[in-house]
Amino acid sequence: MENLDNSAQNKASGLEKAIQTNFQKEMSYGDYLHLDKILSSQQRLSNHHDEMLFIIIHQTSELWMKLILHELHAAIQSILRNDLEPSFKMLSRVSRIQQQLIQSWNVLTTLTPADYMQFRHKLGHSSGFQSFQNRQIEFALGQKNAHTLAVYKHQDDLFESLTKSLHEPSIYDAALSALATHGLPVDEKVLNRDWSQSYEPNLSVEEAWLTVYRNTEKYWDLYELAEKLVDIGNQQQLWRFNHMSTVERIIGNKQGTGGSSGVNYLKRVLDHHFFPELLSLRTKL
């Protein structure tokens, strides 16, 4: 009877016959995505119209970051198994997600300084600097800094998770392991380094990548991996730049809500480059 009722209702409404409309015993789109939880999570602390924009931009960014981490972690494991090809799709996806995140800053620039000042005080000391997923992405890309964990000490589970991430190999560590697996000479001190430390450039790594770029047919998989990493590193820098310029546009040189120097801090972050030998080799090719 339910199917007959569904068909009769569709016919009367002009819907296609097979379209399901009875979800009393079926899982709906909203059920699958838990939209009741997601769409009820935008709780403004002020009555200002633009605070909704501010919340949604940051919440959706965190969702995209979750997917970046999902892809990066899988890619790292694939590379460490010397199974490079599956990682290419994952890393391409990361690059496309980064483009989405970069574009999100353009939406946020519609928030004017005068409007932001109407609710900024409601944020207290909360700040994007405290985004643990952004921190995990930096760790996965090789920028490690144990001092940044201090802001998570109030949450034991989170602090433990980030500490674990700090001591795990980055995507670049996995790539350097792949170089060695393919018979290219890489210093043991690089391959067996302390993964909790931020990566420092090494001449043997640059020479190994130069060999790859000078013999692309022989080392095509490594060459493809290198270019995927360059894409991600470049997109991450663009995201950082757009972040900095958006903050500058909205609050000028004010101190950040989390206590940082704001724009000046974000400008200093831009000085760090991911996967340094993949950039320096271009001068020597």
Side-chain angles (χ1 to χ4, degrees):
M1 280 298 294
E2 288 181 0
N3 288 337
L4 291 174
D5 290 344
N6 187 71
S7 176
Q9 290 171 2
N10 288 357
K11 185 176 181 180
S13 65
L15 293 175
E16 293 180 1
K17 182 178 179 180
I19 292 177
Q20 179 68 35
T21 60
N22 189 334
F23 290 96
Q24 291 181 343
K25 297 181 180 179
E26 298 285 343
M27 178 176 65
S28 71
Y29 174 81
D31 295 332
Y32 176 67
L33 295 177
H34 297 281
L35 291 182
D36 55 333
K37 296 178 182 177
I38 293 174
L39 298 180
S40 62
S41 296
Q42 294 73 48
Q43 303 295 325
R44 288 183 294 169
L45 298 180
S46 74
N47 291 321
H48 197 279
H49 175 84
D50 285 4
E51 190 181 357
M52 184 64 75
L53 162 70
F54 191 80
I55 292 171
I56 289 177
I57 286 290
H58 288 85
Q59 287 184 340
T60 54
S61 293
E62 291 293 335
L63 285 173
W64 282 125
M65 287 180 190
K66 183 173 183 175
L67 185 54
I68 285 178
L69 288 167
H70 178 71
E71 301 297 338
L72 281 178
H73 290 155
I76 289 170
Q77 293 307 310
S78 179
I79 296 167
L80 288 174
R81 293 193 304 269
N82 196 32
D83 188 15
L84 301 188
E85 288 193 10
S87 73
F88 300 157
K89 177 182 177 181
M90 300 166 190
L91 296 177
S92 292
R93 184 173 292 162
V94 168
S95 181
R96 300 296 172 84
I97 298 167
Q98 289 173 310
Q99 291 172 21
Q100 292 289 329
L101 287 168
I102 290 166
Q103 289 301 314
S104 72
W105 293 121
N106 293 336
V107 181
L108 192 58
T109 60
T110 64
L111 177 64
T112 67
D115 287 327
Y116 183 46
M117 288 306 119
Q118 297 300 311
F119 64 86
R120 187 179 189 242
H121 62 284
K122 294 290 187 178
L123 305 181
H125 291 300
S126 64
S127 164
F129 179 82
Q130 297 146 18
S131 168
F132 69 89
Q133 291 197 123
N134 185 49
R135 194 69 59 208
Q136 286 177 316
I137 289 171
E138 290 182 345
F139 287 177
L141 296 180
Q143 186 177 8
K144 306 288 185 76
N145 186 345
H147 298 296
T148 60
L149 299 186
V151 298
Y152 310 105
K153 282 187 175 180
H154 66 292
Q155 294 175 279
D156 292 341
D157 291 347
L158 189 53
F159 183 79
E160 183 179 342
S161 176
L162 283 162
T163 301
K164 182 174 179 289
S165 298
L166 181 72
H167 289 86
E168 291 176 339
S170 70
I171 190 78
Y172 199 48
D173 291 314
L176 301 186
S177 175
L179 287 176
T181 300
H182 283 73
L184 293 163
V186 177
D187 285 351
E188 284 296 322
K189 65 180 181 181
V190 173
L191 298 174
N192 298 310
R193 73 185 193 88
D194 180 356
W195 290 328
S196 69
Q197 300 298 310
S198 208
Y199 179 79
E200 295 293 337
N202 179 276
L203 182 59
S204 73
V205 172
E206 183 181 68
E207 290 298 325
W209 283 124
L210 276 168
T211 299
V212 170
Y213 275 72
R214 288 168 176 159
N215 301 273
T216 56
E217 290 187 7
K218 181 178 179 180
Y219 298 108
W220 183 261
D221 281 356
L222 290 172
Y223 175 61
E224 184 76 5
L225 173 61
E227 285 298 293
K228 296 296 184 188
L229 293 180
V230 170
D231 286 343
I232 289 173
N234 185 59
Q235 295 291 348
Q236 195 68 9
Q237 286 295 82
L238 288 174
W239 180 85
R240 286 172 163 181
F241 178 80
N242 279 27
H243 182 190
M244 179 275 295
S245 60
T246 301
V247 170
E248 187 172 43
R249 174 173 175 156
I250 296 175
I251 68 168
N253 287 303
K254 289 186 178 70
Q255 186 181 53
T257 50
S260 76
S261 57
V263 168
N264 289 330
Y265 170 79
L266 296 174
K267 286 181 177 178
R268 288 198 304 273
V269 170
L270 281 169
D271 291 335
H272 172 271
H273 292 279
F274 300 97
F275 325 131
E277 293 89 356
L278 293 178
L279 298 179
S280 64
L281 70 83
R282 281 153 164 75
T283 305
K284 296 185 177 181
L285 271 178

